[in-house]
Amino acid sequence: MQLFSHSAVAVMQGSVLLFSAFQDDGPMWTDTGPRAERRQISFEKPYLAPPVVHISCGMWDIDGRQNQRADISAENVTTTGFEIVFRTWGDTRVARIRAEWLAIGAMRHEDDFDL
């Protein structure tokens, strides 16, 4: 839980195509076993403390002939950014993933006093 006091609350959002593995026969499409893709996201302005970050799949393109195993999360959240991490395993074949993200946290406001 985050408790906000006198600071401004900032909401940032974005959308990013994490990969398109079927076009170049990337490992998410051709390999098996544990696999992960990471993408660094930088905030436009720094938060006062690491914000709450929510990640979801805005688009997924996964082969339906195998089990569809997927995990998406935000890791290494700081005041200036975070990493989106998409994981799969087994024989799942993932062609494309687009991630949608939302960050909510306290941010310095132009009317704040320097104490």
Side-chain angles (χ1 to χ4, degrees):
M1 179 177 80
Q2 285 196 13
L3 178 64
F4 302 106
S5 60
H6 69 282
S7 60
V9 176
V11 177
M12 290 188 216
Q13 66 183 38
S15 177
V16 61
L17 182 66
L18 295 180
F19 57 86
S20 187
F22 75 98
Q23 289 177 324
D24 60 1
D25 287 331
M28 286 292 186
W29 187 246
T30 59
D31 290 355
T32 60
R35 287 156 283 152
E37 284 280 339
R38 295 176 173 272
R39 177 68 63 90
Q40 183 65 40
I41 302 296
S42 297
F43 300 132
E44 293 174 33
K45 295 181 178 181
Y47 285 91
L48 293 176
V52 172
V53 176
H54 173 77
I55 305 286
S56 64
C57 284
M59 182 271 299
W60 71 333
D61 184 359
I62 298 180
D63 188 343
R65 292 174 286 185
Q66 291 86 10
N67 286 326
Q68 298 173 358
R69 305 171 186 93
D71 176 69
I72 193 165
S73 61
E75 292 185 1
N76 304 316
V77 179
T78 69
T79 59
T80 59
F82 66 98
E83 280 184 311
I84 298 173
V85 183
F86 177 84
R87 292 182 176 89
T88 191
W89 55 95
D91 61 353
T92 300
R93 290 169 32 108
V94 185
R96 297 179 295 180
I97 294 291
R98 187 181 67 237
E100 310 287 337
W101 61 269
L102 181 70
I104 304 171
M107 187 172 285
R108 182 169 172 72
H109 190 275
E110 61 187 34
D111 292 339
D112 287 348
F113 295 107
D114 287 327
L115 299 177

